[in-house]
Amino acid sequence: MRRYLSVAVMLILAAFLMFIVTGLTFGNPQYADMDDYFIQNGQEQIATNNIVTTIVFDYRGFDTLGESTVLFTAVIGVAMLFRKFTGGEYDEDE
Amino acid sequence: MMRMSKIVRTCADLMYPFVVIFGWYVIMHGHLTPGGGFQGGAVVATGAALVIVAYSYQEITSMLKKAVLMVQESTGLLLFIGAGLGGMVLGFPFFFNWLANSGSLFGMSVPYGPNPGELNTAGFLPLMNIAVGIEVWGGLTLVILYLLSGLEKGEA
Amino acid sequence: MNLMTTLSTGSGFWNPVLWLVALIITLIIAYLIWARGERQYKAGTEQVKPFISGNPEPRKGAVHIRAGNLYWGFTDALQGYYRRVIPLHTGILTDYLLWVLWVTALVCILVVV
Amino acid sequence: MLWNLPFIAVVLLTAIGISIILLKKNLVKIFMGLNVLTSAVNLFIIAVGYREGGIAPIFTNAPSPVMVMPTPQALCLTSIVIGVATTAVLLAFAMLLYRMYGTNDVEAIRELRG
Amino acid sequence: MTDTWYQMDIWFPVVGILVFLIACCTIRLFRGPTAADRAIAVDTVNTLTIASMILLGVAYRQIILIDVAIVYAVLSFVSTLYIAKYLGGEL
Amino acid sequence: MIEEFIFTNLPALMVAVPLLAAFVCPLVAQISPAMRKMWVMGSMAITSLLGLLLVMRVYTMGTFVYVFGASTPGLSIPLDSGGIPIRIVFTVDAMSAFMDLIIAIVGFCVILYSLSSDERRTSPQYYYTLFLLLIAAVIGMVSTGDLFNFFVFIEISSLASAGLVAYSVEKGRAVEAGLKYFMVSALGGIFLLFVIGILYGQYDALNIAMIAQRMQFTMLDKIALVLLVAALAAKCGAVPMHFWTPDAYSLAPSSVTAMLVVASQASLYGLFRFTFTMYHLSLNYVTIGWTIIVLGVLSMVIGVTMAIPQKDVKRLMAYHAISQTGYMLLGVGVGLAVLGNETAINSFGTIAMEGGIFHIINHALYKGLLFLTAGAIIYRIGTRDLNRMGGLGHSMKYTMIFFIIGSLAIAGIPPFNGFASKLLIYESVYLFNPFLAIIAMVVSILTLASFVKVFHSIFMGPPLPEFASVREVPLPMLLGMGILATLVILFGVFPQTVVNLIVAPAVHALIDQSGYISAILGGA
Amino acid sequence: MLAEGLIILCLVIGTVFNGLGVLGLLRFPDLYTRMHATTKATTFGSIFTSLAVIIFGIWSFFRTSDLQFTTLAIHAFIATLALALTNAVSSHAIARAAHKMGIKPMPAVCDRLEEVH
Amino acid sequence: MIEMLAHILVLAGLVISALLVFYFRDLMAAALASGFFSFLISLEFYILQAPDVAISQAGIGAGLTTAIFIIAIRGTQRYEEAGK
């Protein structure tokens, strides 16, 4: 039963995602004004050759801060999960 | 967890400086060629993973201290957010590129071309690249170390 | 009374202060009625002790009604419902993900078709 | 034009990822499925930003005719790092659960139910 | 860079052949009786991928793309080493 | 000078301060525990203060637009860009400010509360780091005006909350709860990323206002909308996707649970923001509105009925949290279902939305209070099984009072705040569809019944011998609960003030799409 | 014309050896022989394809005196160097691990590694 | 033309390796297939002119993720069903 339900939901979702194939055209985006702005002005404004880095660190720098924070959170989380227990543990803390 | 054979260890010793140098090349030239803080940091961290795989866990923990790496990670992040806050202190919004085209440090404009030598450009981007590189290096190495520490019987 | 406290709901209004005043008045009246009765009540005498057909009084802790015993009638009445709903919370991770995906698919069908 | 081939691949990969997540019972395998799903979405974002005959958005040669869109690449970088962070935490969960429950089967890890 | 016939045409067929060889490696990845066989298949794919990346970098006239190949060459064997360490029972 | 600095950069500082505090926290904790406590408390106090300032600023002077990295903070569209926003824009309108207020209040109380119990934790620096990261992420989620930025923050929030849920690693079941929570969140994150890809591929924009302006509502937009609704509803615990909620809420430390409620509400905020602002009338609003209503009704009914037979106090409260989420979905869903109908939205749609939004802050306050009291009880007696509790009213008087306040508020007994918002919902939903209103009332009655049970089994009865040594909880815990309880009473006694001051502008901000767009794009 | 011929020659050699390596991977009977085929042949082949690129870079540099072609050649050379180093080591590691796992070569020959350990 | 053929082959390889991840019951082999998938998707990024992402995927996806998967397999069990 569960198997059939899983396969069915997978097929339904795949069928709906097939609209991506018909709705978007590969290699020919509808709008490109934001990226054209980056490509045209990125080099003079920020003085870089690599536009991707310009976007990552300048135009969308705040995303990058969040993304480093994700990594930091993951490291803290893993460190927390594998921390050493020094004894004196309570069964229920609060 | 044991050490691997001598060939592998030798190769890891040989490769590690090369990987680190190459990783720092990727980090430093992030604004000129493909790459940047994440990619370079990931490269260096994978180099660290190479050393980790070649040696045993005891040798690794004596070589790479978790506390040091944690401090390194925090330092990178602080440098990163500090570079963002720098613009704010100067009266601009958060993450304003306060060094770009200023003529001082990292303030030159860049010509077209593939020749990676114009490091003194791009404002605070190289600063941020370095910061993120340090952070990703420490972070990903720590992830591997902690996951390995979960394998050890005595630890955790 | 006071605009600050009156909540208008479009089709009516609600004022907690008025309500509080009414509540307090009701409580006072109730207290008065209560205070007028029980004249013979004296604390600490024989009359306040429970009398359970001559059986010894149970221990204090055993008198307390535990949580599991409350509302057994309610849960008993809704047996059929609970027998269906509780097993849905299987505790299996993939079942939960399957639910999420099914909801997605159903809403997809609803919205798109 | 390429007949939207990458998009078809994205849909197929998504379907495969969803089936791995739903049909498999091992936790590590489920995380691999999640990884496949994340990669599929990354590929989708990159494919969205591709322009026919474009070159990488890096000014190496002189001003170039057409460049692929740079923003998806920036987004994708972020999403890759988020993906590895997610995977690391999930695998840590899996290792701890194996240590505590002695199994890695999702159908056996069900102490919380009802 | 002027475009003559060999610059236009010579790189892409080679890349096509290499990618075809990569696709062939999936057979061994699928069939390989032991995990070590599969590891070899993946290792081969690494090598071929690096070769095709170098060639593609030239074919697209993007010198900087070669950097990716270097990263690949340096890093791809780390996962192989982990696999070998696990298979050898040393992890 | 300093005021000017703070006032121009408020939204950025709101996120930057807790982030900075979180980055430094592991380092500070190496020095001494007292230092760590001071650091955490100080940074949280500053964050709350900034949050209150921001709320005041937004409610007096309108939408606050802050552009990261532009030459001036308000310049959302560069002069040479031809009318498109290219940078990340924080758009703090009244709705965002409303959520910021919740976070500022609850976050402060929770940190205050959790400081007194941290000698029971191993490596508490990780706990506080994750906590500060969670707060920063939630603040970022509610104040951002950028789709991808929202995704990044939602990922931070799910990572941090998963870590916090699994904090009591040695118990084992906590790890299971964390895994379930995180897996659902990860799937939701992937859905969101898909949405970003679809919308970006069509409109080449990531800014919500820009997408809203260009929205054509093609087939792909419908799919994107469905994915969004599913992901965010799963993240906030609407019913057929609620299964992670009782696990995560019951196994996390109580202070974390109080914050997790707020994090779920931030996803709820995301749901409302995207449906109202990004899609608005262009969506098939009746269908989506009814979908949300159905989800809400299911949440209410199943949440409360599942709560009644529970024996674990926090699990019971978690099911109630699901049930209360249903009220918010119901209220706002009714508003969404009549969005295009001018007369209907004026007569009852706005009121229903006011009820739903008002219920968000009420729920955060009283549910936070209830979880904190449950934590206080568990802190003292060391068990969470209702069958083993009893007679605590003799020894924990203040906790009992706070618990009474919280449970009366959640059951919708006047004069506490739960009644005010529920009244708004009942009366307006009755005009929309009487059947729904009746269901809502029945659910409210069942909630009361269930809390009578909890109250009876925890506090009533003779003092039990095994809890003879139980004392009242330490002062900071009482203080944290006390602030929340005071606010619960205040909000209940002055409902119209609260509605006029903060709720009605938030509702207006949600409904008024063109205002949101013109705040960023400038008179579009 | 010499350079062009050299490039084509290198590419042909590289492709052929790569193909032979993959053929060996597919057709050989046991693990060690497959490893022999792939490691040697594909490393050799890949070195030759990279050599073609290096030659192309140097030749183009002399033709156009554009400095970016030296970058091309140097980077390709570094990639080849790393490839040659890492491929051998990873094959060694896998072979060793396979031997530890207890995989024996197909026809029984004498096992020197067994004697060493 | 040949470029497109290579592109198709890479995409087909992607789908096939994802199917292999689905198919293998030996988690070790599945991790290998996952690594293979990462290589191919990196090559695909490269073909789609995204070198930054390709580097990132090569370093993180192919190198580190496989490594931590293998560590996790070592920490849990090698086969999908226990007792094999």
Side-chain angles (χ1 to χ4, degrees), chain F residues 203-277:
Chain F
Y203 305 121
D204 193 47
L206 290 167
N207 194 293
I208 292 174
M210 195 67 208
I211 295 174
Q213 200 194 25
R214 285 186 176 170
M215 181 67 69
Q216 295 158 344
F217 210 52
T218 58
M219 191 63 98
L220 281 179
D221 289 336
K222 288 183 188 176
I223 292 170
L225 173 65
V226 171
L227 291 177
L228 260 178
V229 168
L232 292 171
K235 193 84 173 38
C236 75
V239 144
M241 298 94 89
H242 69 291
F243 301 100
W244 59 268
T245 323
D247 303 354
Y249 281 12
S250 58
L251 267 297
S254 295
S255 39
V256 173
T257 317
M259 201 62 214
L260 275 183
V261 172
V262 179
S264 312
Q265 287 176 347
S267 341
L268 205 64
Y269 160 84
L271 181 60
F272 297 158
R273 170 62 76 207
F274 292 135
T275 45
F276 277 95
T277 304

Side-chain angles (χ1 to χ4, degrees), chain B residues 1-12 49-57 59-60, chain E residues 77-91, chain G residues 89-98 100 117:
Chain B
M1 180 174 161
M2 295 189 295
R3 59 210 319 219
M4 292 185 77
S5 66
K6 179 142 194 172
I7 295 174
V8 177
R9 272 180 284 140
T10 314
C11 175
L50 171 63
V51 179
I52 288 169
V53 77
Y55 290 94
S56 69
Y57 186 73
E59 288 167 311
I60 288 302
Chain E
F77 89 123
V78 173
S79 62
T80 317
L81 283 186
Y82 271 87
I83 291 161
K85 192 162 181 175
Y86 178 77
L87 290 179
E90 291 166 327
L91 189 68
Chain G
V89 175
S90 61
S91 289
H92 154 78
I94 291 174
R96 202 178 132 84
K100 278 198 168 185
H117 286 264

Side-chain angles (χ1 to χ4, degrees), chain C residues 48-68:
Chain C
V48 293
K49 285 232 172 127
F51 177 74
I52 312 171
S53 304
N55 295 321
E57 187 188 349
R59 202 169 43 82
K60 281 265 178 177
V63 176
H64 181 57
I65 303 169
R66 303 287 175 152

Side-chain angles (χ1 to χ4, degrees), chain F residues 422-441:
Chain F
K422 280 184 180 177
L423 186 71
L424 288 175
I425 294 176
Y426 298 152
E427 298 223 339
S428 51
V429 172
Y430 190 83
L431 294 178
F432 177 69
N433 189 337
F435 186 60
L436 296 178
I438 291 167
I439 290 178
M441 286 181 203

Side-chain angles (χ1 to χ4, degrees), chain F residues 46-95:
Chain F
I46 292 173
T47 312
S48 295
L49 202 66
L50 288 173
L52 294 180
L53 281 178
L54 178 64
V55 171
M56 270 167 52
R57 165 77 168 65
V58 170
Y59 278 121
T60 51
M61 295 169 67
T63 307
F64 198 141
V65 175
Y66 188 85
V67 187
F68 285 90
S71 49
T72 52
L75 190 68
S76 57
I77 302 173
L79 299 175
D80 51 352
S81 74
I84 46 172
I86 55 159
R87 293 172 185 272
I88 292 174
V89 180
F90 261 27
T91 316
V92 189
D93 62 354
M95 184 69 204

Side-chain angles (χ1 to χ4, degrees), chain B residues 3-34:
Chain B
R3 59 210 319 219
M4 292 185 77
S5 66
K6 179 142 194 172
I7 295 174
V8 177
R9 272 180 284 140
T10 314
C11 175
D13 288 345
L14 267 176
M15 289 293 283
Y16 185 61
F18 176 68
V19 173
V20 170
I21 290 168
F22 184 71
W24 278 100
Y25 161 78
V26 171
I27 291 172
M28 290 306 300
H29 289 234
H31 54 291
L32 298 171
T33 59

Side-chain angles (χ1 to χ4, degrees), chain G residues 20-44:
Chain G
L20 286 178
V22 174
L23 190 69
L25 175 74
L26 293 180
R27 293 295 301 155
F28 272 157
D30 74 337
L31 187 134
Y32 298 100
T33 46
R34 278 176 208 144
M35 187 177 292
H36 165 84
T38 57
T39 308
K40 280 190 176 171
T42 55
T43 311
F44 189 72

